[in-house]
Amino acid sequence: MKQSIDYIPHGTCSRMIHVVLENGIVESVRFESGCAGNTKGVAALAVGMKAEDAIARLSGIRCGFKNTSCPDQLAKAITLCLAEKPSDF
């Protein structure tokens, strides 16, 4: 069962986060814009993780004086993706 979402992050430099989950596991993550090295690193680390574990690890991370960050916004995207109905790929 696959689930996917194109999430527009708030309060970060990235413009879009594309997430695909399969059976509750993060299958792929791709950020549009943002700090390329950091977003690619976060995306690579999240792939293969249980969605709930990724949410627990990434939620609440802040970027400087901002109240959020790209990892925190990824956690929000994964949370919303879990809430979506599965799609037929």
Side-chain angles (χ1 to χ4, degrees):
M1 155 176 95
K2 285 195 181 189
Q3 297 165 275
S4 66
I5 192 167
D6 292 329
Y7 177 79
I8 298 173
H10 304 282
T12 64
C13 301
S14 58
R15 293 186 187 143
M16 181 77 70
I17 306 172
H18 307 279
V19 177
V20 177
L21 305 179
E22 184 164 11
N23 298 320
I25 304 293
V26 179
E27 182 178 274
S28 68
V29 174
R30 185 172 51 86
F31 286 84
E32 288 183 18
S33 298
C35 303
N38 291 333
T39 56
K40 286 178 185 176
V42 169
L45 290 171
V47 170
M49 290 183 75
K50 290 182 182 179
E52 291 85 359
D53 291 344
I55 293 165
R57 289 183 181 205
L58 300 172
S59 292
I61 293 174
R62 296 172 59 144
C63 182
F65 294 105
K66 297 178 182 178
N67 290 327
T68 190
S69 65
C70 288
D72 183 57
Q73 290 296 298
L74 175 56
K76 292 179 186 332
I78 294 170
T79 300
L80 287 176
C81 192
L82 283 174
E84 295 280 320
K85 287 184 178 181
S87 58
D88 295 324
F89 274 71

